[in-house]
Amino acid sequence: SAPRAKPQLEQRPMLGGKGVAILRSGKGPSGRAALLRYGPTLNHGHLDSLGLLFYGLGRELTYDLGYQLGSAHVQTSWARLTASHNLVVVNAKNQMVTPSPGGDARFYVDAAPVRAFEASDPSCYRSEKVSEYGRAIALVDTGGSSYLVDIFRVTGGEKHDLMWHFSGEQSEIAGADLGPTQDKGSLAGPDIDWGRKLGPAGDLIGCADKPPYWNAPPGNGYGFVFNCRRSTRLSPECRVNWKVGTTGRQDVVLRLLPEAGSELVTARAPGILPEWPQADYAIVRRQGSGLKSVFVSLVEPVDGRSAIRSVRRMDSGNAVCVEVETAAGTDYILSASVPGIVALVNFAKRLASIFEFNAGSGQTRTEIWQAALEAIKVLTGYGEPLAGRLLANCAAAVRSFRLDGA
């Protein structure tokens, strides 16, 4: 008989019942993908609503710690808790202290060269009186690769910690004047140091008398995060590289665009077992009464040379604009507190074409400038302040054309 055909699995970008969204670009070892979880957390689930996984260079890059024996200390005190994931921790507390039904998808778009998704789940931090807890991500193609833009909004609480960790070891940190390594203790304080005491079965050394499912103090996983270094003197762009693979050419490059008053903490934490690799963390911390944060990050898998030349952040009210200059051109990613992302890929050339068209119409420079400003408003849906800044930012493209009436 004829051989049975191999079943073809359909790639679904949205699993609404589970609360999972996937952005994909490319195939095989060179493919890239981002997975964001926003659905309900059930038995044996981790406390990681709006947690992010990112794939590239033929592997998972974000190094989710996974699952060990359910009653082991490393599981109940670290891997299951919010702080071990790539997301924002509020008030150094775990999510879902108060039960949560899960979050909501706000929009999804797949329109190459941009795929984007946004979700919101303030209920996961109902215990901390959080009114906004939302994450927007955009996977943007450039050349033969992609970069991921991550915009995480949190309103409420007094302390916000954006946690990032990836496979491999941190190899370079730029844009932050880091202090000395904290030799004793952990992110939880100088007297708590669980991260160096993980035993071969996943239990903590010296804690054999503790019952199953014991959660080591202070109960938020911060006691597992050690070798902390801190800096409050941050550049507008901070860059952290993780060296991955064995060729010496592959990196994960994290670009952080911090708000005023941010602190960067780098640290290390254990894997799920002592023989597994440890994880290097980059944590952006903000503190204050009635806190409102908008964390902006870019993640790029690099094989050889980065495609990104520079990044810059521009804010106007609730709107955020990220300028990304690549070898292919300049992209602008815009996001506001209302659902939706506007992605203007290689926008400087598009803007230049607007000016070129209007320059041949006999209009004055002022009229041409106003026409371009109105075009940007239409393209982006944003008002005068941010549209004006975006136009001024692209002035180099404007100068490349001779404008009548100057």
Side-chain angles (χ1 to χ4, degrees):
S1 61
R4 179 178 295 180
K6 184 179 294 186
Q8 298 296 313
L9 299 179
E10 180 182 357
Q11 289 189 348
R12 291 185 177 272
M14 286 282 294
L15 303 174
K18 298 293 185 182
V20 173
I22 304 171
L23 310 181
R24 295 185 181 92
S25 181
K27 295 182 179 180
S30 63
R32 289 80 58 197
L35 185 151
L36 183 64
R37 190 185 85 82
Y38 65 93
T41 299
L42 305 178
N43 293 346
H44 298 276
H46 287 192
L47 307 179
D48 64 340
S49 183
L50 302 195
L52 176 72
L53 302 179
F54 189 56
Y55 300 82
L57 305 175
R59 56 174 64 85
E60 183 202 341
L61 296 174
T62 36
Y63 188 23
D64 186 85
L65 298 184
Y67 197 87
Q68 177 54 15
L69 179 66
S71 61
H73 299 157
V74 70
Q75 181 68 30
T76 57
S77 304
W78 174 231
R80 177 178 178 267
L81 304 187
T82 304
S84 71
H85 299 86
N86 288 307
L87 41 64
V88 175
V89 180
V90 177
N91 291 347
K93 301 288 183 64
N94 291 312
Q95 295 178 354
M96 289 165 257
V97 172
T98 301
S100 166
D104 299 306
R106 305 188 78 186
F107 80 92
Y108 183 97
V109 63
D110 185 347
V114 179
R115 293 93 176 162
F117 176 71
E118 185 171 349
S120 175
D121 187 12
S123 67
C124 73
Y125 268 120
R126 185 182 294 121
S127 63
E128 307 309 307
K129 297 180 172 56
V130 165
S131 61
E132 182 180 30
Y133 191 80
R135 190 169 204 168
I137 58 174
L139 188 66
V140 183
D141 294 342
T142 176
S145 188
S146 308
Y147 62 85
L148 183 75
V149 178
D150 180 72
I151 301 173
F152 209 130
R153 289 182 166 84
V154 185
T155 300
E158 290 74 45
K159 180 187 291 185
H160 298 163
D161 289 338
L162 172 64
M163 318 291 284
W164 282 111
H165 71 284
F166 296 92
S167 299
E169 295 186 356
Q170 288 177 1
S171 59
E172 182 182 359
I173 300 171
D177 184 16
L178 291 166
T181 300
Q182 179 183 330
D183 294 328
K184 296 182 180 180
S186 64
L187 191 62
D191 301 323
I192 301 177
D193 197 359
W194 301 119
R196 297 182 178 93
K197 298 179 180 179
L198 189 60
D203 285 332
L204 295 171
I205 296 171
C207 298
D209 60 329
K210 302 303 181 185
Y213 302 100
W214 175 68
N215 187 354
N220 59 4
Y222 279 32
F224 287 77
V225 183
F226 59 95
N227 280 0
C228 298
R229 300 180 67 194
R230 294 175 168 85
S231 176
T232 55
R233 298 174 59 184
L234 306 181
S235 299
E237 175 195 348
C238 299
R239 190 182 75 252
V240 185
N241 289 24
W242 279 258
K243 186 67 65 178
V244 299
T246 58
T247 65
R249 292 171 45 86
Q250 295 184 329
D251 295 86
V252 180
V253 180
L254 172 67
R255 291 176 170 86
L256 303 166
L257 307 181
E259 296 177 274
S262 297
E263 176 185 17
L264 177 64
V265 181
T266 63
R268 176 161 284 192
I272 197 71
L273 288 173
E275 62 267 26
W276 285 50
Q278 295 182 328
D280 285 345
Y281 274 71
I283 305 165
V284 182
R285 170 170 285 181
R286 303 191 70 243
Q287 300 185 81
S289 178
L291 194 58
K292 182 173 184 176
S293 299
V294 182
F295 295 98
V296 178
S297 312
L298 282 81
V299 182
E300 182 191 16
V302 174
D303 190 357
R305 177 177 294 181
S306 171
I308 296 177
R309 294 175 175 174
S310 67
V311 298
R312 181 163 55 164
R313 172 177 178 168
M314 296 180 290
D315 292 10
S316 179
N318 290 324
V320 174
C321 176
V322 184
E323 177 195 70
V324 185
E325 182 183 353
T326 74
T330 304
D331 305 336
Y332 292 90
I333 313 300
L334 300 99
S335 171
S337 54
V338 296
I341 280 182
V342 177
L344 306 174
V345 177
N346 205 355
F347 184 57
K349 289 184 179 179
R350 294 182 64 186
L351 181 63
S353 67
I354 295 171
F355 272 82
E356 184 177 27
F357 174 80
N358 286 310
S361 65
Q363 293 178 307
T364 66
R365 183 187 181 100
T366 300
E367 290 171 336
I368 295 170
W369 194 271
Q370 188 61 38
L373 182 63
E374 293 304 317
I376 291 175
K377 289 181 183 179
V378 172
L379 284 169
T380 65
Y382 289 93
E384 189 86 24
L386 188 54
R389 292 182 65 183
L390 184 56
L391 177 57
N393 215 40
C394 295
V398 175
R399 296 193 195 103
S400 66
F401 294 95
R402 178 172 178 169
L403 303 181
D404 296 331

